Amino acid sequence: MSRQPDIQTEMARKTRRGFLTGGIATMAGLAGWAWIASRKLENELQWPLRRVLRVNEKLARGYFSQSRLAPTFPRSAAVAELRVNEDIGMDDDIDAENWRMQVAGSSASIAPVTLALDDIKKLPHSGHVTELKCIEGWSQVAAWGGAKFADLAKQFPPPEKARYVSMATANGKYYVGLDLASAMHPQTLLAYELNDQPLTDEHGAPLRLVIPTKYGIKNIKQIGSISYSETRPKDYWADQGYDWYAGL
Amino acid sequence: MQRIELKHLRATRWFHWVNFPLLFAMIWTGMWIYWANDVYRVGAGDVTLFHFFPDPVYKALGWDHKLSKGMAWHFFFMWLFAINGILYVAYTAISGEWRYLVPNRHSFREAIQVTLYDLGLSKAHPPARKFNGAQQIAYTSVVLMGFGSLITGLAIYKYVQFAWLAALLGGYPMARWLHFWLTMGYVAFFLVHIAQVVRAGWNNFRSMVTGYEVVNSDKEAL
């Protein structure tokens, strides 16, 4: 095969140019990655990634609708033994009789209100069989019973400016922050029953949150206090590097 | 006589090379997430042939204990991956390049021929054109897989808001399962792709970078 210098030269020139462009683009990509990875941490996460999570959250909250429901399952689909993942913030000496929950920041009362389990049980009973989703990736179907958070909020309405709800265990060691729209979703329950039985201690007796529009981390057990706020409340797992919104 | 011929358009090359690190990042950060509930395996009943993944794999690749980080990066790169993929598909459709890419009624038979040739079981050389039948099927499939990853990902990511999509995919656990196996599909694609690129040689590889290929003009070039 005869070599054609002009073709070889031309191809060498194109090769140089192509690989140079590729090299520069690769360096730019790596520099972008290194830049993000080396940014200051904001709750255990580089701030540019936090910002992206906030943008994602903004889109999700814009799209969110209380009329979109988590799919429900037949009662028979519920697992007999629901997995227990965490007990952070839970006290082991709580009994339903003496248990009290504070509701603060409501427009109905300036001072925090103290409620007993019977006060929650007086609200209309509601329930659903839904699939609980752990942020780790597993999911299980469970049958929940209790009162809608929205029904509690009818008695103790959020002030007009409130956008968020904070819930914490009695000792304050576990705490979740929720956007008001998700809290008011018709499937958001203050649950005291699991699989038609009173909630067991390990699942958060006497009262826990069941919020199918969020990952399990937001489904706080042994609720000790609820309060409304205008600003975004602290959240246990968001403080450890997770997405604050954690919405499904 | 040799001459230089344009093989891959500039836009196509950019889409390809931008996609490569993005897909890699999606897989890598996906593994950080998967580690937290690594339930998939190859096997039946009590017999497991391979569990995804054995602990030493996580340790060696640093995939363990990175769930929160994995989710944050995954939900950043997903936008870039999706945008690049959508632009690529739009460009390929509008420019007419899809004609080289989408399989036709001859592709399947040709793909068998190519496979037999590549495995050394047949001496019939595959047709010399831009993409042979096997390539058409493989490259079109991998684009469809990308679409599959987007929809299965969306069904997992916003399960309640897109409950209809999750239902269409067979529910949440099935959507997650599909999302995982599509990922394994990319890995398989990648291994074959690299082997074929190495085999096809420098002139072919260079054309994906420069756009141009040196061809012998005594042969009919297509």
Side-chain angles (χ1 to χ4, degrees):
Chain A
M1 200 184 294
S2 66
R3 287 182 74 82
Q4 296 158 287
D6 50 331
I7 284 188
Q8 297 304 326
T9 315
E10 173 64 8
M11 203 56 224
R13 197 181 64 81
K14 286 187 189 304
T15 305
R16 257 196 319 276
R17 202 172 58 181
F19 279 88
L20 194 65
T21 309
I24 293 168
T26 306
M27 297 306 279
L30 287 173
W33 170 75
W35 183 81
I36 295 174
S38 61
R39 288 313 87 188
K40 230 181 106 193
L41 300 182
E42 201 176 286
N43 291 339
E44 303 294 314
L45 197 62
Q46 288 83 357
W47 69 258
L49 293 176
R50 261 300 158 209
R51 197 165 288 182
V52 173
L53 288 181
R54 290 289 279 269
V55 170
N56 292 349
E57 172 185 337
K58 210 168 180 178
L59 284 170
R61 288 171 71 170
Y63 187 70
F64 182 88
S65 159
Q66 284 171 351
S67 62
R68 275 189 216 106
L69 301 179
T72 52
F73 296 77
R75 176 65 184 81
S76 57
V79 294
E81 295 283 336
L82 182 66
R83 182 163 161 179
V84 179
N85 233 44
E86 291 286 2
D87 58 1
I88 304 163
M90 289 167 72
D91 292 318
D92 46 18
D93 55 354
I94 285 188
D95 71 291
E97 282 290 299
N98 301 317
W99 171 87
R100 294 292 180 273
M101 178 176 80
Q102 309 275 325
V103 178
S106 162
S107 58
S109 160
I110 295 165
V113 189
T114 304
L115 300 178
L117 189 57
D118 277 342
D119 298 317
I120 304 299
K121 286 188 172 171
K122 274 179 210 149
L123 297 169
H125 185 271
S126 182
H128 50 69
V129 184
T130 47
E131 194 172 38
L132 177 69
K133 286 162 190 67
C134 180
I135 200 160
E136 294 170 351
W138 56 268
S139 53
Q140 284 187 336
V141 177
W144 301 103
K148 286 180 184 174
F149 176 82
D151 286 335
L152 180 78
K154 269 183 203 152
Q155 245 177 54
F156 303 100
E160 208 176 309
K161 282 186 173 170
R163 291 287 173 273
Y164 297 98
V165 183
S166 170
M167 298 190 189
T169 55
N171 60 23
K173 286 183 184 157
Y174 196 75
Y175 45 95
V176 298
L178 303 166
D179 54 294
L180 192 58
S182 297
M184 299 293 269
H185 187 277
Q187 288 174 316
T188 303
L189 292 182
L190 295 165
Y192 45 80
E193 289 164 356
L194 169 58
N195 292 347
D196 307 317
Q197 300 297 318
L199 213 52
T200 56
D201 289 345
E202 56 188 356
H203 285 299
L207 193 71
R208 71 170 295 169
L209 187 70
V210 170
I211 179 162
T213 50
K214 302 279 186 191
Y215 279 118
I217 49 171
K218 297 281 192 187
N219 293 240
I220 182 172
K221 298 168 178 176
Q222 257 186 22
I223 305 171
S225 65
I226 297 178
S227 61
Y228 297 111
S229 67
E230 290 173 33
T231 53
R232 166 186 294 252
K234 272 168 70 71
D235 183 89
Y236 182 89
W237 287 107
D239 287 349
Q240 325 261 328
Y242 287 84
D243 175 25
W244 183 89
Y245 185 66
L248 288 162
Chain B
M1 276 292 278
Q2 289 186 315
R3 58 197 169 82
I4 296 173
E5 210 165 74
L6 180 65
K7 188 176 183 187
H8 300 296
L9 302 181
R10 185 188 301 274
T12 309
R13 285 178 279 135
W14 274 104
F15 287 129
H16 172 270
W17 288 112
V18 166
N19 182 68
F20 170 59
L22 287 178
L23 181 56
F24 176 83
M26 287 308 282
I27 294 174
W28 201 261
T29 59
M31 290 304 141
W32 293 352
I33 299 171
Y34 172 70
W35 166 85
N37 185 44
D38 60 337
V39 289
Y40 303 127
R41 62 184 184 131
V42 173
D46 291 337
V47 185
T48 296
L49 296 174
F50 188 79
H51 167 239
F52 294 87
F53 294 89
D55 273 344
V57 173
Y58 293 116
K59 287 274 175 315
L61 299 171
W63 285 350
D64 55 318
H65 299 90
K66 290 195 175 72
L67 173 59
S68 60
K69 205 173 142 177
M71 292 180 86
W73 281 101
H74 207 67
F75 301 155
F76 163 57
F77 282 124
M78 69 179 185
W79 293 113
L80 307 181
F81 176 71
I83 290 167
N84 187 62
I86 290 164
L87 289 178
Y88 164 74
V89 170
Y91 175 80
T92 305
I94 293 164
S95 67
E97 282 292 293
W98 63 271
R99 287 189 185 87
Y100 301 103
L101 198 78
V102 175
N104 54 45
R105 62 204 162 87
H106 306 298
S107 299
F108 193 70
R109 204 172 51 182
E110 199 175 287
I112 294 170
Q113 201 184 46
V114 171
T115 310
L116 290 176
Y117 177 81
D118 287 347
L119 295 173
L121 298 171
S122 158
K123 289 206 162 45
H125 197 283
R129 54 184 158 73
K130 189 163 176 174
F131 298 133
N132 63 44
Q135 286 175 298
Q136 287 171 331
I137 290 171
Y139 299 163
T140 300
S141 300
V142 87
V143 172
L144 292 175
M145 284 163 63
F147 176 72
S149 289
L150 291 184
I151 62 166
T152 53
L154 184 62
I156 304 167
Y157 181 55
K158 294 295 165 199
Y159 168 75
V160 179
Q161 305 312 313
F162 295 93
W164 58 272
L165 185 60
L168 207 68
L169 294 166
Y172 184 85
M174 185 53 93
R176 189 176 186 263
W177 185 87
L178 289 166
H179 200 67
F180 176 82
W181 284 106
L182 283 166
T183 306
M184 293 302 109
Y186 296 124
V187 175
F189 173 89
F190 178 75
L191 294 175
V192 175
H193 189 51
I194 294 305
Q196 295 286 41
V197 167
V198 167
R199 193 181 164 122
W202 173 245
N203 195 32
N204 172 68
F205 175 73
R206 185 177 54 185
S207 72
M208 200 59 212
V209 177
T210 65
Y212 294 89
E213 198 169 41
V214 176
V215 293
N216 295 320
S217 42
D218 48 327
K219 260 201 316 195
E220 184 73 33
L222 287 159

